[in-house]
Amino acid sequence: MSWIPYGLTRRALFALDPEHAHELTLHTLQRLQHTPLLGLLAQPRVHDPIRLAGLTLPNRVGLAAGLDKNAQCIDAWAAMGFGFVEVGTVTPRPQPGNPKPRLFRLPQAQALINRFGFNNEGLEAFVAHVRASRVRQQGQPALVLGLNIGKNADTPIERAVEDYLLGLRGVYPYADYVTVNISSPNTRNLRQLQSDEALERLLAALTDERARLADQHGVHRPLFLKIAPDLDEAQIGAIADALQRHGIDGVIATNTTLAREAVQGLPHADEAGGLSGAPLAAPSNRVIAALRARLGPGFPIIGVGGILSGDDAVAKLRAGADAVQLYTGLIYRGPALVTEAARALRDHAPGTRAG
């Protein structure tokens, strides 16, 4: 899209139903990515390598999970200059997600509300798409890939661990890191897994299984936990302690918020679901800062939420993040945001050069 003014593209997409525009974009990216027309999307990747959780990221800007749930467009995202890409959330079995409509734009606030509910094609199709990615076959440093796992909506919360173990086993051979999503507000009771006892059971089971898989495949894959912005200080502290106690490699902060104060009175503001975009910046930064204070220096934190400019990305680093991910900002600003954010982060805190 670097050869096509994104202002024109956005105008056309915003004239469509939000979910239809989302699906059309993914379909177009999927069709273009293995053709010479991939050059229409290409942007030079900003060189700012850092080491994070044992991985070398080409730069600090990643794609957040949720935009490409089925891992269909990995090569297209790589062409846009991301340092790392996270796809999913994938569940063990295919599921349609919540009823439509389930995606809403709030352009006055540069925000979205979604209640997708982990709609995806399931683990088998997801892995097939990952394996088909040409850039993935090149390995690092071409792309660092995170695979994000969740539970099926009809799996009782008491059996959620079983779904996460199935997901971990399925994606482990193909991931550079695995993210455990327990913070979507759109799967009933999912956020209960952030509570002390449930989190202890889940993390213990995952780390035990990760050890077995590491022996089986001869490689240690980092595990990240993705958490919500709607947590109080005590909850953040308990999660931080659990991450360290169980040897989890990093944390992604944050998912979408249930709060609506920042968009009160706007069209669609009362729709159920998770709010993302500019209003999420402050809540996300608050959680990042609290995590950093509790975890200390060196523990990997990826900051997500409300990044619509290079300055927004730098604010995440100032709060305590090591790297950032984009989703809603990409929809409002287009691929140029990837380069802008990566340059701003490079200039603010140059990465550790490998070699």
Side-chain angles (χ1 to χ4, degrees):
M1 293 180 190
S2 57
W3 290 94
I4 304 171
Y6 185 68
L8 297 177
T9 305
R10 176 182 142 166
R11 193 173 301 124
L13 290 173
F14 275 42
L16 303 174
D17 167 79
E19 186 164 355
H20 178 56
H22 178 82
E23 291 171 347
L24 177 62
T25 300
L26 291 178
H27 178 71
T28 302
L29 294 177
Q30 187 179 22
R31 291 286 299 274
L32 292 181
Q33 67 183 345
H34 295 154
T35 75
L37 293 176
L38 182 63
L40 295 173
L41 312 173
Q43 301 183 125
R45 177 184 285 136
V46 172
H47 183 69
D48 182 32
I50 65 164
R51 290 287 291 174
L52 192 69
L55 303 171
T56 299
L57 308 184
N59 64 51
R60 299 174 188 262
V61 179
L63 179 75
L67 193 54
D68 188 359
K69 290 181 172 63
N70 294 308
Q72 295 168 296
C73 304
I74 293 171
D75 294 338
W77 306 125
M80 291 183 196
F82 284 104
F84 62 110
V85 167
E86 189 171 316
V87 291
T89 298
V90 65
T91 56
R93 290 172 283 109
Q95 62 181 26
N98 293 321
K100 298 179 182 180
R102 54 193 180 183
L103 180 63
F104 306 89
R105 300 188 193 100
L106 291 76
Q108 303 96 320
Q110 293 187 292
L112 298 173
I113 291 174
N114 92 81
R115 51 172 181 262
F116 281 122
F118 291 169
N119 56 308
N120 74 100
E121 297 175 357
L123 189 56
E124 184 177 352
F126 180 86
V127 166
H129 290 146
V130 172
R131 295 183 66 183
S133 164
R134 294 179 183 176
V135 72
R136 270 309 284 162
Q137 295 165 9
Q138 300 170 17
Q140 290 188 27
L143 186 70
V144 172
L145 185 67
L147 304 182
N148 184 302
I149 59 174
K151 84 168 194 72
N152 280 105
D154 61 357
T155 298
I157 197 68
E158 298 81 10
R159 297 179 58 187
V161 171
E162 298 173 25
D163 274 13
Y164 284 101
L165 292 176
L166 287 170
L168 181 61
R169 292 174 195 133
V171 305
Y172 194 90
Y174 312 104
D176 290 316
Y177 70 90
V178 179
T179 296
V180 180
N181 186 351
I182 59 170
S183 52
S184 170
N186 301 317
T187 295
R188 187 170 178 267
N189 295 329
L190 185 72
R191 288 189 172 186
Q192 290 181 14
L193 296 174
Q194 296 176 126
S195 64
D196 294 356
E197 186 178 341
L199 186 60
E200 287 291 324
R201 287 197 305 270
L202 176 63
L203 296 186
L206 287 169
T207 51
D208 284 350
E209 183 63 15
R210 193 255 303 266
R212 188 189 69 79
L213 290 166
D215 287 342
Q216 177 183 342
H217 296 283
V219 62
H220 175 94
R221 302 297 190 199
L223 283 177
F224 280 71
L225 188 72
K226 188 166 187 177
I227 66 171
D230 308 312
L231 298 167
D232 61 31
E233 296 297 317
Q235 291 171 316
I236 295 169
I239 289 172
D241 292 346
L243 292 172
Q244 293 181 308
R245 187 163 53 250
H246 289 280
I248 301 301
D249 301 273
V251 60
I252 299 179
T254 62
N255 215 313
T256 56
T257 180
L258 293 172
R260 293 292 188 270
E261 291 84 358
V263 295
Q264 194 169 10
L266 294 180
H268 304 302
D270 294 330
E271 292 287 350
L275 175 70
S276 62
L280 185 55
S284 168
N285 292 349
R286 175 189 68 85
V287 174
I288 292 167
L291 285 168
R292 180 56 71 206
R294 189 70 171 237
L295 293 166
F299 191 95
I301 299 175
I302 297 175
V304 195
I307 299 174
L308 287 108
S309 69
D311 288 343
D312 294 333
V314 169
K316 288 278 184 283
L317 261 64
R318 288 181 174 145
D322 300 290
V324 304
Q325 291 178 332
L326 310 178
Y327 184 151
T328 302
L330 192 65
I331 292 169
Y332 278 94
R333 288 286 318 281
L337 179 60
V338 180
T339 302
E340 179 183 328
R343 286 176 176 165
L345 295 179
R346 178 196 61 194
D347 295 342
H348 173 74
T352 302
R353 299 296 192 269

